């Protein structure tokens, strides 16, 4: 059976949660997919690697088992490079083979995810030269001095350049892992993991990352401007033909260009924006579901409930119950 092979690189002074959190989230997505899509299910093979192939003792005194050494990185499909406590320079110096092995793995087709100061290993390899990246805010100034050829984006928690992701925080890592689970196992599995692990992360990965070379994920600047307007005015939109007219476009041309640029209809896009806004209100306010429906632009509670269940695979009330239990228990 084919497997999705995922490696995590271990070294002294690593931030333990940048290893354990993605593993737990990935396993939860895998379990959901196995339960609901057994026929098309692809299992995960998750391994921890180190410079010598020997176990790593963390700053917290815990010993972490290792499956192999960094030379085998090119055998993996996805590689997560965890964050480092305090100054990353000694750790980079003590693991001289990692940067080179990451580069080889990338050229063999691997997708790399650098976390916080772990991004230094990707920068050390030269792969990030003339490309965008982010890192932990506390290390941003020194990162720029150490790697002047990297286009650091400290205002973004996530960047993506081809098959290289960099993330500035654990929350951002969780967003990327949810995004990957969606790619592996579909929207339902991704929603399931997000609901159980990261309700505090409200923006989907696609809406918050810096995607190198993208203009709102496509090159139609007028449609990108319309998307931005719709995000801020979705609740008041009553007629898409009026929106098209506002932007000096025929309704037919508007529909055609929107679908061509985004891969979805304008109606679907507005629906997604409204559901996202409703999700935030459900988790952060005591408004009734009827009031939330009217606030985000639906005509009734039943209309919101139908759309919410279709997109989120649960009712607004059950979503609120789960979120509140996680946030306030």
């Amino acid at each position: 059976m084919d497997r999705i092979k995922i490696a995590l690189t271990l070294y002294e002074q690593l931030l333990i949660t940048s290893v354990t959190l993605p593993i737990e989230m990935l396993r939860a997505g895998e379990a959901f997919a196995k339960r609901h899509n057994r026929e098309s299910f692809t299992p995960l093979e998750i391994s921890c690697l180190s410079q010598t192939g020997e176990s790593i003792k963390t700053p917290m005194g815990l010993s972490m088992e290792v499956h192999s050494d960094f030379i085998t990185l090119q055998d993996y499909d996805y590689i997560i490079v965890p964050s480092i406590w305090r100054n990353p320079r000694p750790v980079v110096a003590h693991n001289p083979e990692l940067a080179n092995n990451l580069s080889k793995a990338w050229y063999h087709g691997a997708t790399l995810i650098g976390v916080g100061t772990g991004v230094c290993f990707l920068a050390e390899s030269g792969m990030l030269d003339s490309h965008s990246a982010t890192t932990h805010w506390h290390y941003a100034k020194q990162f720029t001095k150490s790697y002047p050829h990297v286009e650091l984006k400290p205002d973004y928690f996530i960047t993506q350049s081809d098959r290289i992701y960099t993330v500035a925080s654990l929350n951002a890592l969780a967003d990327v892992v949810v995004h990957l689970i969606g790619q592996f196992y579909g929207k339902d599995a991704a929603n399931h993991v997000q609901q159980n692990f990261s309700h505090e992360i409200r923006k989907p990965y696609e809406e918050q990352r810096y995607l190198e070379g993208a203009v709102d994920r496509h090159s139609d600047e007028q449609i990108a401007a319309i998307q931005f307007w719709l995000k801020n005015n979705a609740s008041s939109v009553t007629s898409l033909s009026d929106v098209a007219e506002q932007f000096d476009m025929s309704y037919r041309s508007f529909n055609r260009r929107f679908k061509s640029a985004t891969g979805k209809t304008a109606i679907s896009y507005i629906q997604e924006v409204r559901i996202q806004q409703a999700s935030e209100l459900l988790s952060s306010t005591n408004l009734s579901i009827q009031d939330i429906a009217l606030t985000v632009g639906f005509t009734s509670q039943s209309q919101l409930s139908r759309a919410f269940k279709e997109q989120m695979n649960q009712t607004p009330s059950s979503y609120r119950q789960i979120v509140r239990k996680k946030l306030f228990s």
Side-chain angles (χ1 to χ4, degrees):
M1 180 184 293
D2 291 337
R3 292 177 178 269
I4 301 169
K5 299 186 68 176
I6 301 172
L8 295 99
T9 58
L10 304 190
Y11 24 75
E12 66 277 17
Q13 297 301 122
L14 64 81
L15 181 63
I16 301 173
T17 44
S18 60
V19 176
T20 57
L21 178 65
I23 291 177
E24 289 174 342
M25 294 179 73
L26 288 164
R27 289 302 188 197
E30 178 188 42
F32 181 91
K34 184 176 182 180
R35 188 164 64 250
H36 294 277
N37 301 293
R38 184 175 291 274
E39 292 182 2
S40 59
F41 169 72
T42 304
L44 301 178
E45 180 181 322
I46 302 177
S47 303
C48 293
L49 280 58
S50 71
Q51 176 83 8
T52 62
E54 299 176 351
S55 62
I56 293 292
K57 191 169 185 177
T58 71
M60 301 298 107
L62 298 176
S63 183
M64 303 187 75
E65 294 300 317
V66 168
H67 300 86
S68 185
D69 57 35
F70 293 150
I71 296 174
T72 63
L73 280 171
Q74 59 189 289
D75 297 332
Y76 290 85
D77 305 307
Y78 295 83
I79 301 168
I80 298 174
V81 185
S83 192
I84 303 166
W85 277 106
R86 301 183 179 89
N87 181 10
R89 301 311 303 166
V91 180
V92 172
H94 292 160
N95 294 269
E97 299 301 318
L98 180 51
N100 185 45
N101 285 313
L102 286 171
S103 180
K104 289 181 179 178
W106 187 83
Y107 282 110
H108 276 80
T111 295
L112 310 182
I113 302 103
V115 185
T117 49
V119 174
C120 289
F121 282 110
L122 278 63
E124 197 76 18
S125 72
M127 285 186 293
L128 291 178
D129 286 357
S130 301
H131 291 290
S132 58
T134 190
T135 189
H136 192 278
W137 66 269
H138 184 73
Y139 196 70
K141 187 178 293 186
Q142 183 58 49
F143 187 97
T144 299
K145 291 180 180 178
S146 299
Y147 307 107
H149 299 298
V150 179
E151 297 178 7
L152 192 67
K153 303 289 183 182
D155 295 333
Y156 287 84
F157 285 101
I158 302 170
T159 71
Q160 181 189 352
S161 176
D162 197 2
R163 285 179 285 104
I164 300 177
Y165 298 78
T166 67
V167 302
S169 68
L170 282 176
N171 278 356
L173 173 61
D175 290 328
V176 171
V177 173
V178 168
H179 168 69
L180 294 178
I181 290 169
Q183 292 185 329
F184 299 160
Y185 299 126
K187 182 177 70 175
D188 289 345
N191 284 341
H192 170 78
V193 172
Q194 184 169 13
Q195 289 157 16
N196 283 276
F197 281 87
S198 51
H199 276 299
E200 66 276 19
I201 303 162
R202 308 207 204 284
K203 290 186 178 179
Y205 156 81
E206 290 84 356
E207 289 188 11
Q208 64 175 314
R209 57 85 171 96
Y210 177 87
L211 177 57
E212 189 171 272
V215 180
D216 205 356
R217 289 174 282 165
H218 56 75
S219 58
D220 191 326
E221 293 188 7
Q222 189 172 17
I223 294 299
I226 293 172
Q227 285 181 269
F228 181 82
W229 186 90
L230 288 173
K231 286 178 184 178
N232 291 282
N233 298 276
S235 62
S236 62
V237 173
T238 57
S239 168
L240 286 175
S241 60
D242 289 345
V243 175
E245 184 178 351
Q246 179 178 329
F247 285 87
D248 297 320
M249 299 173 67
S250 70
Y251 184 52
R252 181 177 181 182
S253 177
F254 166 73
N255 279 329
R256 176 181 56 78
R257 286 175 58 181
F258 199 100
K259 179 70 180 292
S260 175
T262 68
K264 63 186 71 173
T265 65
I267 292 175
S268 297
Y269 182 80
I270 291 175
Q271 193 95 310
E272 290 178 5
V273 171
R274 289 172 173 169
I275 293 298
Q276 181 63 31
Q277 293 172 348
S279 299
E280 294 179 2
L281 292 173
L282 285 165
S283 62
S284 63
T285 75
N286 291 319
L287 290 173
S288 69
I289 294 175
Q290 171 72 7
D291 287 341
I292 290 174
L294 298 177
T295 298
V296 302
F298 289 101
T299 59
S300 65
Q301 177 176 333
S302 60
Q303 188 185 44
L304 167 62
S305 296
R306 285 194 301 271
F308 199 96
K309 189 165 186 178
E310 181 179 342
Q311 186 168 319
M312 304 294 287
N313 203 31
Q314 61 184 318
T315 64
S317 57
S318 61
Y319 176 87
R320 170 175 266 173
Q321 186 176 15
I322 294 172
V323 173
R324 290 301 182 89
K325 186 175 292 184
K326 180 174 178 63
L327 290 177
F328 302 114
S329 62

